[in-house]
Amino acid sequence: MMKKIIYFFIFIVSILHAQQNCEQYFEARKEQMQEQIREYDEARQSLEAYRASFEALQKEKMQALVQKEADINASLEQIKTLKEQNERILKATKENLQAINDKTMGRITEIYAKMKDVAVAGILSEMEPDEASKILLSLDPRKISSIMAKMEPKKASDLTLLLKNLDQNASLQ
């Protein structure tokens, strides 16, 4: 019986010891799990902070792009306005130049119309053919024929061909 009591006592001690070991194991496992939970929590917080930082950076970059696009659009609008102004100025300048040329040509025509045909023939014979033909075209046809009759035949022939080409080009436009 004593032997049974000793076995029983050993059995109880071993159960208590096993229970104590189990409690230590579970306590150690519990601490280990809590440590893992803390690590996961820290990782989640880091991830959330990174995500918030990334989203803020993306928002900042998007705002910068929107601002640059607005700046570019404003620059394009300025360029368009300047181009339109330049075109108006160019058109006005061309009109002024044409008016000056017309007035000058009108005065030249008037001067040559009043000159004697021999003098005009001599002057036009010395000019570049293009310029001479422009002046001739501005004169009365009777005056032209009288002037050309007083020129050297070669010069008159060259001017006639030029006048013909100028007249054809003018009719095509």
PDB file of all heavy atoms in Angstrom, residues 147-159:
ATOM      1  N   ILE A 147       6.865 105.034-126.521  1.00  0.00           N
ATOM      2  CA  ILE A 147       8.162 104.884-125.838  1.00  0.00           C
ATOM      3  C   ILE A 147       8.933 103.723-126.433  1.00  0.00           C
ATOM      4  O   ILE A 147      10.121 103.838-126.739  1.00  0.00           O
ATOM      5  CB  ILE A 147       7.961 104.687-124.313  1.00  0.00           C
ATOM      6  CG1 ILE A 147       7.402 105.961-123.679  1.00  0.00           C
ATOM      7  CG2 ILE A 147       9.259 104.266-123.642  1.00  0.00           C
ATOM      8  CD1 ILE A 147       6.929 105.786-122.257  1.00  0.00           C
ATOM      9  N   MET A 148       8.273 102.570-126.625  1.00  0.00           N
ATOM     10  CA  MET A 148       8.954 101.388-127.147  1.00  0.00           C
ATOM     11  C   MET A 148       9.443 101.614-128.578  1.00  0.00           C
ATOM     12  O   MET A 148      10.459 101.056-128.978  1.00  0.00           O
ATOM     13  CB  MET A 148       8.045 100.167-127.049  1.00  0.00           C
ATOM     14  CG  MET A 148       7.842  99.740-125.602  1.00  0.00           C
ATOM     15  SD  MET A 148       6.934  98.232-125.507  1.00  0.00           S
ATOM     16  CE  MET A 148       8.228  97.135-125.035  1.00  0.00           C
ATOM     17  N   ALA A 149       8.744 102.461-129.311  1.00  0.00           N
ATOM     18  CA  ALA A 149       9.173 102.773-130.682  1.00  0.00           C
ATOM     19  C   ALA A 149      10.486 103.531-130.669  1.00  0.00           C
ATOM     20  O   ALA A 149      11.268 103.461-131.627  1.00  0.00           O
ATOM     21  CB  ALA A 149       8.092 103.574-131.401  1.00  0.00           C
ATOM     22  N   LYS A 150      10.778 104.225-129.574  1.00  0.00           N
ATOM     23  CA  LYS A 150      11.991 105.031-129.474  1.00  0.00           C
ATOM     24  C   LYS A 150      13.160 104.236-128.858  1.00  0.00           C
ATOM     25  O   LYS A 150      14.258 104.730-128.774  1.00  0.00           O
ATOM     26  CB  LYS A 150      11.727 106.267-128.604  1.00  0.00           C
ATOM     27  CG  LYS A 150      10.492 107.054-128.990  1.00  0.00           C
ATOM     28  CD  LYS A 150      10.849 108.247-129.793  1.00  0.00           C
ATOM     29  CE  LYS A 150       9.698 109.180-130.060  1.00  0.00           C
ATOM     30  NZ  LYS A 150       8.600 108.727-130.836  1.00  0.00           N
ATOM     31  N   MET A 151      12.915 102.991-128.415  1.00  0.00           N
ATOM     32  CA  MET A 151      13.957 102.167-127.798  1.00  0.00           C
ATOM     33  C   MET A 151      14.674 101.339-128.841  1.00  0.00           C
ATOM     34  O   MET A 151      14.177 101.154-129.949  1.00  0.00           O
ATOM     35  CB  MET A 151      13.338 101.193-126.772  1.00  0.00           C
ATOM     36  CG  MET A 151      12.854 101.797-125.515  1.00  0.00           C
ATOM     37  SD  MET A 151      12.232 100.458-124.474  1.00  0.00           S
ATOM     38  CE  MET A 151      12.276 101.272-122.926  1.00  0.00           C
ATOM     39  N   GLU A 152      15.836 100.794-128.420  1.00  0.00           N
ATOM     40  CA  GLU A 152      16.538  99.838-129.274  1.00  0.00           C
ATOM     41  C   GLU A 152      15.626  98.628-129.431  1.00  0.00           C
ATOM     42  O   GLU A 152      14.963  98.216-128.487  1.00  0.00           O
ATOM     43  CB  GLU A 152      17.837  99.367-128.604  1.00  0.00           C
ATOM     44  CG  GLU A 152      18.906 100.396-128.463  1.00  0.00           C
ATOM     45  CD  GLU A 152      20.127  99.820-127.747  1.00  0.00           C
ATOM     46  OE1 GLU A 152      20.330  98.580-127.784  1.00  0.00           O
ATOM     47  OE2 GLU A 152      20.850 100.607-127.149  1.00  0.00           O
ATOM     48  N   PRO A 153      15.592  98.023-130.596  1.00  0.00           N
ATOM     49  CA  PRO A 153      14.690  96.887-130.828  1.00  0.00           C
ATOM     50  C   PRO A 153      14.903  95.725-129.842  1.00  0.00           C
ATOM     51  O   PRO A 153      13.938  95.113-129.386  1.00  0.00           O
ATOM     52  CB  PRO A 153      15.001  96.452-132.256  1.00  0.00           C
ATOM     53  CG  PRO A 153      15.564  97.670-132.909  1.00  0.00           C
ATOM     54  CD  PRO A 153      16.271  98.431-131.828  1.00  0.00           C
ATOM     55  N   LYS A 154      16.143  95.400-129.492  1.00  0.00           N
ATOM     56  CA  LYS A 154      16.428  94.286-128.567  1.00  0.00           C
ATOM     57  C   LYS A 154      15.827  94.569-127.198  1.00  0.00           C
ATOM     58  O   LYS A 154      15.181  93.708-126.598  1.00  0.00           O
ATOM     59  CB  LYS A 154      17.954  94.070-128.471  1.00  0.00           C
ATOM     60  CG  LYS A 154      18.375  93.042-127.443  1.00  0.00           C
ATOM     61  CD  LYS A 154      17.986  91.636-127.853  1.00  0.00           C
ATOM     62  CE  LYS A 154      18.566  90.644-126.877  1.00  0.00           C
ATOM     63  NZ  LYS A 154      17.667  89.620-126.490  1.00  0.00           N
ATOM     64  N   LYS A 155      16.038  95.785-126.688  1.00  0.00           N
ATOM     65  CA  LYS A 155      15.514  96.164-125.363  1.00  0.00           C
ATOM     66  C   LYS A 155      13.986  96.168-125.396  1.00  0.00           C
ATOM     67  O   LYS A 155      13.335  95.675-124.480  1.00  0.00           O
ATOM     68  CB  LYS A 155      16.074  97.540-124.968  1.00  0.00           C
ATOM     69  CG  LYS A 155      15.716  97.970-123.582  1.00  0.00           C
ATOM     70  CD  LYS A 155      16.419  97.125-122.537  1.00  0.00           C
ATOM     71  CE  LYS A 155      16.165  97.677-121.162  1.00  0.00           C
ATOM     72  NZ  LYS A 155      16.857  96.974-120.125  1.00  0.00           N
ATOM     73  N   ALA A 156      13.403  96.714-126.464  1.00  0.00           N
ATOM     74  CA  ALA A 156      11.945  96.749-126.605  1.00  0.00           C
ATOM     75  C   ALA A 156      11.382  95.332-126.668  1.00  0.00           C
ATOM     76  O   ALA A 156      10.335  95.042-126.077  1.00  0.00           O
ATOM     77  CB  ALA A 156      11.558  97.549-127.847  1.00  0.00           C
ATOM     78  N   SER A 157      12.093  94.439-127.357  1.00  0.00           N
ATOM     79  CA  SER A 157      11.655  93.042-127.467  1.00  0.00           C
ATOM     80  C   SER A 157      11.682  92.362-126.098  1.00  0.00           C
ATOM     81  O   SER A 157      10.729  91.682-125.709  1.00  0.00           O
ATOM     82  CB  SER A 157      12.576  92.313-128.443  1.00  0.00           C
ATOM     83  OG  SER A 157      12.336  90.940-128.397  1.00  0.00           O
ATOM     84  N   ASP A 158      12.768  92.549-125.357  1.00  0.00           N
ATOM     85  CA  ASP A 158      12.885  91.958-124.013  1.00  0.00           C
ATOM     86  C   ASP A 158      11.774  92.474-123.100  1.00  0.00           C
ATOM     87  O   ASP A 158      11.151  91.703-122.354  1.00  0.00           O
ATOM     88  CB  ASP A 158      14.248  92.262-123.393  1.00  0.00           C
ATOM     89  CG  ASP A 158      15.389  91.544-124.102  1.00  0.00           C
ATOM     90  OD1 ASP A 158      15.108  90.575-124.861  1.00  0.00           O
ATOM     91  OD2 ASP A 158      16.555  91.939-123.899  1.00  0.00           O
ATOM     92  N   LEU A 159      11.528  93.776-123.134  1.00  0.00           N
ATOM     93  CA  LEU A 159      10.487  94.370-122.282  1.00  0.00           C
ATOM     94  C   LEU A 159       9.105  93.875-122.696  1.00  0.00           C
ATOM     95  O   LEU A 159       8.244  93.657-121.849  1.00  0.00           O
ATOM     96  CB  LEU A 159      10.561  95.892-122.319  1.00  0.00           C
ATOM     97  CG  LEU A 159      11.698  96.509-121.517  1.00  0.00           C
ATOM     98  CD1 LEU A 159      11.746  98.025-121.717  1.00  0.00           C
ATOM     99  CD2 LEU A 159      11.562  96.190-120.042  1.00  0.00           C
TER     100      LEU A 159
END
